[in-house]
Amino acid sequence: MFKFTTASKNLLVRSFSSSVSAQGAKVAVLGAAGGIGQPLSMLLKLNPLVGDLNLYDIANAPGVASDLSHINTSSTVRGFSTEEQGLSKALEGRDVVVIPAGVPRKPGMTRDDLFGMNAKIAMDLSIACAEVCPKASILIISNPVNSLLPLAAQVFKNKGVFDPKKMIGITTLDLVRASRFAFEKTGKVQFIPVIGGHAGTTIVPLYSQCSSLKLSPEDLAALVHRTQFGGDEVVQAKAGKGSATLSMAYAGARLVDSVVRASQGEDVVECGFVANDTYASEGVDYFAGILRLGKEGVSEILPLPENITQLEKDAIKAALPQLASAAKKGIDFVTNN
Ligand code: NAD
Ligand code: LMR
């Protein structure tokens, strides 16, 4: 039988006693019953900075919400289905909306192959966000991020409510991977910026910023390749049963936590795929940069470190045309639908 140890009593007290959580951030997860949505929602239920969690999915969100609502942290959790304006109700009053709704890859597919299935989902959810909670931070997980973030931004632009500070395509999993893979070489956990986009060679890890990493050119190339294709590694290992879910839930929960902490005045640096005019002269309007987060979302896109290597500069240059065409695909979808 379960016995209360001192540690578990402390956990119980901590779970109920945070005054922040009583009035904490109001978050919605759209696609909350999926492979990412469920563990992400659980991590958000455990975050004392999240006070109120709304879960929406086309299937089973009320069930997931009921389950999570028994966890003895002080936040409230409610589930919403497609019936009776469920989506609008789920979005009411939200500070942050996280979107993992959509189909994941199977072996042999690229993220871009998901566009045909996920663009309509992203568009419908973006329209609802623009109408119900236009001032919320919108954090997009669904793939292909390189097209769906520009798509969602275009929906907001058409409705006259786009705020580039408030919409981020989540690339945090690339940073988590870069940090972990470098740790395997150095034994140190470090923040390694990853910029560009979230697909194959558009993912540009800046290992030059990891001073303790000393690798031969061949080993560095292998590390960069593993970071760019880490998603494929998981897709192949899951052999047709989806893509990264648990590590993505961790990464998504980290970005929500960062956005909320920044909204409360903390100075936080993350990377993310945002509207960004750094490469506008080359026709690229969306680019994952190093972001300073503040009270109102992205407060600054930080300049790239001066000491990035020629290989990293070349990788950025090679990513630009891919990013431009991926963004165009998302924007054209909004224009044509
Ligand atoms: P999943 O199939 O397990 O879950 C998706 C969920 O979305 C399902 O519960 C489904 O019912 C729901 N859904 C579908 N249409 C919806 C709609 N219109 N409204 C609300 N919910 C809807 O998939 P998953 O493994 O959770 O992956 C979800 C997405 O995240 C995929 O597109 C995947 O490629 C992407 N992903 C992105 C990253 C990243 O780093 N950005 C990492 C991993 C996965
Ligand atoms: C990832 O990087 O793991 C995700 O984008 C999922 C995928 O399809 O690889």
Side-chain angles (χ1 to χ4, degrees):
M1 201 175 108
F2 180 79
K3 280 193 185 153
F4 280 114
T5 60
T6 306
S8 59
K9 275 184 201 152
N10 286 345
L11 177 65
L12 200 63
V13 171
R14 205 168 56 234
S15 301
F16 280 111
S17 67
S18 163
S19 60
V20 180
S21 57
Q23 306 137 3
K26 294 182 166 58
V27 179
V29 180
L30 311 184
I36 297 166
Q38 292 203 35
L40 171 62
S41 300
M42 185 165 93
L43 291 170
L44 296 175
K45 174 68 176 123
L46 298 179
N47 186 332
L49 299 181
V50 175
D52 186 46
L53 190 54
N54 283 354
L55 308 185
Y56 173 79
D57 199 297
I58 51 170
N60 200 27
V64 175
S66 170
D67 188 354
L68 286 179
S69 72
H70 291 189
I71 293 177
N72 60 337
T73 56
S74 57
S75 49
T76 49
V77 187
R78 284 174 300 168
F80 298 84
S81 63
T82 49
E83 288 161 32
E84 294 174 23
Q85 300 290 315
L87 177 55
S88 298
K89 287 182 192 161
L91 292 173
E92 267 166 28
R94 294 304 96 184
D95 302 309
V96 182
V97 180
V98 204
I99 309 182
V103 178
R105 281 200 283 170
K106 289 191 187 326
M109 293 172 79
T110 66
R111 292 179 184 82
D112 187 55
D113 292 335
L114 299 172
F115 184 84
M117 288 171 278
N118 289 346
K120 176 81 169 68
I121 296 172
M123 183 151 143
D124 290 347
L125 297 178
S126 305
I127 290 171
C129 292
E131 288 173 353
V132 181
C133 56
K135 292 187 183 304
S137 287
I138 309 293
L139 310 179
I140 297 179
I141 292 175
S142 321
N143 272 317
V145 170
N146 291 358
S147 297
L148 298 189
L149 185 281
L151 180 158
Q154 192 61 39
V155 167
F156 272 57
K157 283 180 186 176
N158 289 354
K159 291 192 173 284
V161 293
F162 180 59
D163 178 352
K165 301 192 292 301
K166 291 291 189 80
M167 197 179 275
I168 304 176
I170 302 192
T171 60
T172 318
L173 180 53
D174 301 318
L175 281 84
V176 168
R177 286 183 176 135
S179 178
R180 169 67 207 183
F181 299 163
F183 171 84
E184 289 168 10
K185 311 271 183 203
T186 66
K188 289 186 189 158
V189 176
Q190 289 169 84
F191 178 88
I192 295 160
V194 182
I195 62 169
H198 180 67
T201 53
T202 69
I203 298 170
V204 182
L206 299 180
Y207 282 114
S208 57
Q209 305 311 300
C210 181
S211 54
S212 56
L213 194 63
K214 309 280 181 225
L215 294 179
S216 67
E218 295 74 24
D219 287 349
L220 178 61
L223 183 62
V224 169
H225 185 271
R226 187 175 181 209
T227 313
Q228 293 177 322
F229 294 91
D232 299 68
E233 193 176 308
V234 179
V235 168
Q236 276 152 27
K238 290 198 174 179
K241 297 223 160 48
S243 55
T245 52
L246 302 173
S247 51
M248 182 59 237
Y250 169 78
R254 164 173 142 182
L255 190 67
V256 173
D257 183 68
S258 293
V259 167
V260 173
R261 283 190 291 114
S263 74
Q264 297 176 347
E266 220 178 289
D267 185 22
V268 184
V269 173
E270 284 282 5
C271 294
F273 189 64
V274 294
N276 180 338
D277 61 10
T278 309
Y279 298 100
S281 62
E282 301 181 58
V284 175
D285 299 321
Y286 296 90
F287 187 86
I290 307 173
L291 312 178
R292 166 156 282 131
L293 301 176
K295 287 193 173 171
E296 298 300 325
V298 178
S299 59
E300 191 184 355
I301 297 173
L302 297 173
L304 292 185
E306 282 178 6
N307 63 341
I308 66 170
T309 63
Q310 189 58 45
L311 278 177
E312 290 167 347
K313 288 179 189 163
D314 292 345
I316 294 168
K317 202 168 168 203
L320 295 178
Q322 299 178 64
L323 291 171
S325 72
K328 182 173 182 310
K329 192 166 177 174
I331 294 162
D332 286 351
F333 185 86
V334 180
T335 309
N336 299 328
N337 287 278

